[in-house]
Amino acid sequence: MHLHTYRDESRSRHLDLIGGRGHPWSIDLVVVVASGILLMGFACAFVALLIR
């Protein structure tokens, strides 16, 4: 596994985690972190509704 960073045509930075032998795979870590933050926000809002 290794990290790969690059900029696309619109100069946005991407950070990928790349791994696998024979069947390579990659995960865009920026998308994973943003999705995790949104998911935690929805979970906290749902818990707040249940408590109230």
Side-chain angles (χ1 to χ4, degrees), residues 4 8 14 32 40 43 48:
H4 175 72
D8 61 7
H14 294 268
V32 170
M40 287 301 296

Side-chain angles (χ1 to χ4, degrees), residues 12-50:
S12 297
R13 178 155 316 267
H14 294 268
L15 181 64
D16 292 347
L17 181 63
I18 300 173
R21 290 185 189 181
H23 299 285
W25 51 266
S26 69
I27 299 172
D28 189 355
L29 294 177
V30 174
V31 172
V32 170
V33 170
S35 299
I37 290 170
L38 286 173
L39 185 61
M40 287 301 296
F42 286 126
C44 290
F46 183 71
V47 169
L49 284 174
L50 289 178

